[in-house]
Amino acid sequence: MFVVLAACGFGSISVLMVVGQRHGLTLASAMAWRYLLATPFLLAIAGRALRAVSARRAAALLVIGGLGQVAISGLSLSALKWIDVATLGFLFYTFPAWVVLLSAVRGIERVDTRKVTALALALGGIVTIVGAPRTASLPAIGVTLALGAAFIYAAYIPLLHWLRGPLSAATASAFIIAGAAAVYLAAAAWRGELHVVQPGAAWGVVATLALGCTVVTFIAFLNGLAVLGAVRTAIISTVEPFYTAVLGAIVLGQAAGPGTIAGGALIAAAVLLLQRQPTSP
């Protein structure tokens, strides 16, 4: 449930950004304020636990965790210059397959038939919801950026778990988000987009991104990851495109036809399969 909650939080970001852009909110400004406002809340939740964090672990979370966030969002958003949203979604949500492959190669986590079957169901659901890339030739740079973002995210999930170590989810998230905030603030300032005077609706979007899609979402994600491991977390996270499609239909009036329902059913089947206890030999 923690991972599903996190997936819904992450899946709300694109819809919220569309709403924010209608009120004059730029991407650089939104991300800068999102991470900047989320940081003090996470620091407050972490409280005294921050004092026990070693300087080495804090630096790793700030730099590696923060830059990882920026790299994933930067590559995926840059890909939209060459490919459409549907194609980007299809390519990026190959990340569970990359997680399974990396885990199997490195021997981090046992990949059995049940997980592989669940992965196939989840990927099938994503293809049904998002649609396979069009048959026309796709720009190589767009495909490379999208797959690069997916691969980095696949490596980022177990890396976050390792970087966190014994820290609470709030404590680890505070350093990760602070690192991302520093990078986005510098980028927004350099682009001249760090706007303070914005419509109330734009600030409402920023507040929702900061509290709902960052503070709550990151704590939920890290707590779920600690229990489920990278493979199961990645597969369950595929509920995100289904949730985004439904939310887009409700908030933005975008079409959500039978394919969305069918794809959601396949993803739900994958999640339920993962929750079944393996039978004893």
Side-chain angles (χ1 to χ4, degrees):
M1 293 306 297
F2 272 132
V3 174
V4 170
L5 174 62
C8 292
F10 289 134
S12 301
I13 294 174
S14 58
V15 176
L16 286 168
M17 278 305 305
V18 172
V19 175
Q21 287 172 345
R22 291 176 178 176
H23 295 278
L25 191 64
T26 67
L27 177 63
S29 180
M31 293 297 103
W33 286 116
R34 169 197 175 190
Y35 288 110
L36 181 63
L37 294 179
T39 299
F41 282 95
L42 288 167
L43 290 173
I45 295 172
R48 296 180 179 179
L50 293 169
R51 301 176 184 176
V53 182
S54 66
R56 183 176 181 179
R57 189 179 296 276
L61 287 168
L62 279 167
V63 177
I64 300 175
L67 288 178
Q69 282 291 303
V70 175
I72 294 163
S73 59
L75 286 175
S76 58
L77 292 173
S78 296
L80 289 174
K81 296 179 182 179
W82 290 276
I83 58 178
D84 57 31
V85 175
T87 304
L88 172 61
F90 178 84
L91 293 172
F92 182 77
Y93 277 96
T94 60
F95 81 82
W98 293 112
V99 171
V100 171
L101 179 61
L102 289 173
S103 297
V105 170
R106 298 181 61 189
I108 298 174
E109 188 174 337
R110 180 172 174 265
V111 179
D112 54 22
T113 303
R114 185 168 58 100
K115 291 176 181 177
V116 172
T117 303
L119 173 64
L121 287 171
L123 292 178
I126 292 167
V127 173
T128 304
I129 294 171
V130 181
R134 56 184 182 274
T135 56
S137 177
L138 295 173
I141 186 170
V143 173
T144 301
L145 288 170
L147 289 177
F151 185 81
I152 292 174
Y153 190 52
Y156 188 65
I157 292 175
L159 179 61
L160 278 183
H161 183 56
W162 177 76
L163 287 174
R164 173 187 174 182
L167 302 181
S168 69
T171 304
S173 296
F175 287 103
I176 294 168
I177 298 307
V183 177
Y184 273 117
L185 277 171
W190 180 71
R191 293 171 60 91
E193 296 181 3
L194 191 59
H195 306 306
V196 177
V197 179
Q198 299 182 109
W203 280 115
V205 169
V206 168
T208 304
L209 286 170
L211 300 179
C213 301
T214 306
V215 175
V216 173
T217 296
F218 265 80
I219 292 175
F221 181 80
L222 289 178
N223 279 328
L225 176 62
V227 175
L228 299 177
V231 172
R232 294 174 72 189
T233 296
I235 296 174
I236 293 174
S237 293
T238 56
V239 303
E240 182 178 329
F242 172 70
Y243 172 82
T244 302
V246 173
L247 186 64
I250 295 172
V251 177
L252 305 176
Q254 297 178 348
T260 300
I261 299 174
L266 288 172
I267 293 171
V271 174
L272 291 174
L273 178 61
L274 287 176
Q275 300 317 303
R276 290 183 58 191
Q277 295 296 326
T279 56
S280 300

